[in-house]
Amino acid sequence: MDAQGRGRAGDNNVDPADQWVFDPDTGNYELRLDQAGQAPARPSDRKTAGSRRAAGKAGDDTDTRPLPTQRARGDESADADERPGGGRASRRAAGSRAAAAAAGPASRRKRKPKKSGKQKALYWTAGVVGFVLVAGCGGAFYLYQQLNGNISKVDVGVENDAVSDGPVNVLIIGTDARSGKGNSGYGDAGSVGHADTTILMHISKDRSNATALSIPRDMITDIPNCPTKQKDGSTKNIPGERGVRFNTSLGQEGRDPGCTWRTVEKLTGLKINHFMMADFNAVKSLSTAVDGVEVCAGKDLNDPKSHLKLKAGRHIVKGEQALAFVRTRHAIGFGSDLDRIKMQQQFLSSLIRKLKSSAFSSPGKLYDVSQAATKALTVDTGIGSANKLLDFGTDLKKVDIDKVTFATVPVLDNPDDPATVILNKTAADPLFAMVRADHALAKGKKGKGKKSAPAKKAPPEQVRVDVSNGGGPIGSAQETVDWLQNTKAAKLSTNAGNAPAKLAATRLEYAPNQADQAATLADWMGLPKSALKKSSQAAGDRVPMKLTLGKDFKAPGSPIEAPTETPDGVQNVNADDKNVCAK
């Protein structure tokens, strides 16, 4: 163990795991740099964990054995015995001496508390670092120094605080770059590192749920102008492009992660707080660090291009085999990138579960995972240090795994190019609105708050309304009237031109005796209750309601009120669903 390790400089007989001992009073591990009796560092109250797509050096061992019905409990102990510098017996001795010193008289010692089901949390890269540093607290100086040295960062021109009071949006990017140890056999030979896999992770304001949106790499979109920091400290502005593949938002023309950041913001309307980027080694080394990840094949899989070969059933994959699993597409579904996204979501969900359940069963394992995760990461400057990642991970560790949902941005086949896809705005717009409104993707479940009994609705032929434009796109009033008449059969709708004043929010004014008409129109337009303004006096039979389109109006048929349930046509899976199998 050298001076940069967790132990004392010059003490070559100290196993890193031996410096972490179990405290029976708290049920947590503590870092003790002086095993002769130095006061313990303050333990963590809860575990924070692993990585989404992060890891470090390549692992070359794989394990594709079908999972037994019940795993033997001795696996982790055997792994600990094989670790250089000390085994199970030495750790037991060290743990006993330290625990006895801390506990005092035997009569005052508390029983070891059982693990609580309430400790379920969102486990990903920031969480791994967060738990390491919280557990080590002030005594983990060497860990801070070592993990700081692992982290790479890019200045994207945005300096956000590590912790935010509101919702948090984290952009997770997996590149297809061939550079780096063990990557020469993957990706395109001349790739500069495109956005091969992109996930926008949205964590709710109250940290009760998280939504992970996978963005298809072959989706045609617009890339905005973006400033990039050069090695000499100057800034180069890279011109944007219209109608190009999403994955060219990174690498192409010298674009950095800030360009992908700005592209996703323009696409979704969500403000990004931070990004995390990793290459192929991320999957290989992190899956190895956790002793493999469980995956499921619904049929025999054989993809010579990704080198994946699995029999139907459940398997443990790690290293090269784990990478083959997340890169395969020719052996499943229709062989598209959308099918590969499903494989990646299955793998990441299982990785999260593995990190939650067993990755921190020993201090040595915790250390291995933390090293692998931080070595694989490139992040923005806002979380570009160990202490910032600590704050970041501690803030986000409250999300339960069963409240994490993976979804894919809905797309359609591109009629002009069968090798690409285009955004399905009909499904995507309400999905993005739902995430912007901080609603959990909970299809089939009740949304926030209690819903009142549905109001009586008038038939389309009785809906009489004047539509004026008070802040929507040019031509919105006539476009809405055409939509109402041709799509909804509301023939009594008319264009009232431009409103006398601009409105921030769309408004529908109606009389008490027009409540049934208002209920029908509000349902069609997706209007929130705040948009409905009822007058105190009744109106005549031929007096129309007044609909003024505000700045929040996008297009007819695009709900102004964010939905509280997952829109139809949006592929999604819960991270805690263990029954997902690739077919």
Side-chain angles (χ1 to χ4, degrees), residues 213-493:
L213 296 179
S214 295
I215 302 175
R217 67 174 191 177
D218 296 324
M219 183 181 69
I220 299 299
T221 190
D222 296 337
I223 300 174
N225 299 333
C226 64
T228 59
K229 293 284 185 179
Q230 305 300 299
K231 292 182 179 179
D232 61 3
S234 63
T235 298
K236 178 182 178 181
N237 288 305
I238 301 178
E241 291 186 88
R242 296 179 63 85
V244 295
R245 291 176 188 250
F246 173 83
N247 67 345
T248 60
S249 63
L250 178 68
Q252 203 81 2
E253 308 299 333
R255 296 188 177 104
D256 66 9
C259 300
T260 307
W261 177 312
R262 291 168 175 83
T263 301
V264 174
E265 285 189 337
K266 182 175 181 180
L267 173 69
T268 64
L270 288 156
K271 287 295 181 182
I272 294 174
N273 300 83
H274 302 290
F275 86 86
M276 295 180 174
M277 182 173 69
D279 60 17
F280 294 125
N281 278 324
V283 176
K284 292 189 289 185
S285 62
L286 188 58
S287 62
T288 300
V290 298
D291 294 329
V293 176
E294 178 185 352
V295 297
C296 179
K299 63 177 183 178
D300 291 351
L301 302 178
N302 187 1
D303 185 351
K305 292 191 175 182
S306 71
H307 309 294
L308 177 69
K309 191 172 183 179
L310 291 177
K311 291 290 186 181
R314 296 185 179 274
H315 303 267
I316 296 294
V317 298
K318 57 182 175 180
E320 297 288 344
Q321 187 121 10
L323 180 59
F325 186 85
V326 300
R327 284 186 54 76
T328 192
R329 64 186 176 94
H330 296 287
I332 54 170
F334 297 101
S336 70
D337 183 57
L338 299 179
D339 293 307
R340 174 160 49 195
I341 285 175
K342 295 178 182 178
M343 300 285 280
Q344 293 168 351
Q345 291 175 348
Q346 182 195 155
F347 179 86
L348 291 172
S349 295
S350 183
L351 175 60
I352 293 172
R353 295 194 299 269
K354 180 64 176 287
L355 287 165
K356 178 186 75 68
S357 64
S358 62
F360 307 108
S361 55
S362 72
K365 180 60 64 180
L366 174 62
Y367 181 75
D368 292 343
V369 173
S370 301
Q371 285 280 23
T374 53
K375 283 181 179 179
L377 277 182
T378 297
V379 300
D380 61 284
T381 53
I383 52 175
S385 67
N387 63 322
K388 289 181 179 179
L389 275 174
L390 162 63
D391 294 338
F392 185 59
T394 301
D395 178 45
L396 304 185
K397 68 181 182 180
K398 304 170 185 176
V399 184
D400 289 346
I401 188 173
D402 62 352
K403 297 299 189 298
V404 179
T405 303
F406 284 91
T408 302
V409 172
V411 293
L412 300 169
D413 291 335
N414 186 355
D416 299 325
D417 180 6
T420 61
V421 292
I422 57 176
L423 185 70
N424 180 355
K425 285 184 63 65
T426 301
D429 284 349
L431 172 64
F432 295 153
M434 185 176 181
V435 178
R436 287 195 300 268
D438 215 19
H439 294 169
L441 295 192
K443 189 172 184 178
K445 298 179 181 179
K446 293 182 179 180
K448 297 180 179 179
K450 295 181 179 180
K451 295 183 179 180
S452 57
K456 180 182 177 182
K457 295 178 182 178
E461 62 272 14
Q462 293 181 11
V463 176
R464 186 186 297 269
V465 61
D466 284 349
V467 182
S468 58
N469 191 355
I474 296 175
S476 291
Q478 186 58 50
E479 184 182 8
T480 300
V481 169
D482 291 342
W483 180 76
L484 288 172
Q485 292 185 354
N486 299 326
T487 305
K488 299 300 181 182
K491 303 300 183 183
L492 300 180
S493 54

Side-chain angles (χ1 to χ4, degrees), residues 19-307:
Q19 295 176 282
W20 292 76
V21 296
F22 186 81
D23 186 340
D25 289 333
T26 64
N28 292 295
Y29 288 100
E30 298 178 1
L31 178 66
R32 297 171 188 258
L33 298 181
D34 182 358
Q35 293 186 4
Q38 177 178 321
R42 184 172 56 124
S44 169
D45 292 330
R46 283 189 291 183
K47 294 182 179 179
T48 311
S51 167
R52 302 213 48 79
R53 291 263 311 168
K57 297 181 180 178
D60 57 2
D61 55 338
T62 61
D63 182 353
T64 57
R65 296 171 299 170
L67 289 179
T69 304
Q70 293 182 338
R71 294 187 183 181
R73 295 186 178 181
D75 292 346
E76 292 167 357
S77 298
D79 178 65
D81 286 339
E82 295 169 2
R83 189 172 290 111
R88 181 168 50 186
S90 64
R91 272 191 297 284
R92 284 180 176 174
S96 298
R97 291 194 299 271
S107 60
R108 297 174 59 189
R109 292 180 62 179
K110 299 178 181 179
R111 296 180 61 187
K112 176 180 175 179
K114 295 182 179 179
K115 292 182 179 180
S116 169
K118 296 181 179 179
Q119 291 181 328
K120 291 182 179 179
L122 170 63
Y123 291 90
W124 57 334
T125 301
V128 172
V129 180
F131 179 66
V132 170
L133 299 179
V134 169
C137 198
F141 173 74
Y142 294 115
L143 273 181
Y144 272 100
Q145 295 296 93
Q146 198 169 65
L147 296 180
N148 265 332
N150 291 345
I151 301 169
S152 300
K153 55 189 175 184
V154 173
D155 184 354
V156 297
V158 181
E159 185 71 29
N160 289 330
D161 292 336
V163 177
S164 170
D165 291 334
V168 176
N169 297 302
V170 185
L171 188 63
I172 301 167
I173 306 171
T175 76
D176 61 355
R178 290 168 60 100
S179 60
K181 183 179 179 181
N183 284 340
S184 59
Y186 303 98
D188 297 330
S191 177
V192 291
H194 296 117
D196 193 56
T197 299
T198 305
I199 297 174
L200 178 60
M201 172 71 76
H202 172 85
I203 300 93
S204 65
K205 180 178 180 179
D206 62 5
R207 308 298 187 256
S208 66
N209 64 85
T211 298
L213 296 179
S214 295
I215 302 175
R217 67 174 191 177
D218 296 324
M219 183 181 69
I220 299 299
T221 190
D222 296 337
I223 300 174
N225 299 333
C226 64
T228 59
K229 293 284 185 179
Q230 305 300 299
K231 292 182 179 179
D232 61 3
S234 63
T235 298
K236 178 182 178 181
N237 288 305
I238 301 178
E241 291 186 88
R242 296 179 63 85
V244 295
R245 291 176 188 250
F246 173 83
N247 67 345
T248 60
S249 63
L250 178 68
Q252 203 81 2
E253 308 299 333
R255 296 188 177 104
D256 66 9
C259 300
T260 307
W261 177 312
R262 291 168 175 83
T263 301
V264 174
E265 285 189 337
K266 182 175 181 180
L267 173 69
T268 64
L270 288 156
K271 287 295 181 182
I272 294 174
N273 300 83
H274 302 290
F275 86 86
M276 295 180 174
M277 182 173 69
D279 60 17
F280 294 125
N281 278 324
V283 176
K284 292 189 289 185
S285 62
L286 188 58
S287 62
T288 300
V290 298
D291 294 329
V293 176
E294 178 185 352
V295 297
C296 179
K299 63 177 183 178
D300 291 351
L301 302 178
N302 187 1
D303 185 351
K305 292 191 175 182
S306 71
H307 309 294

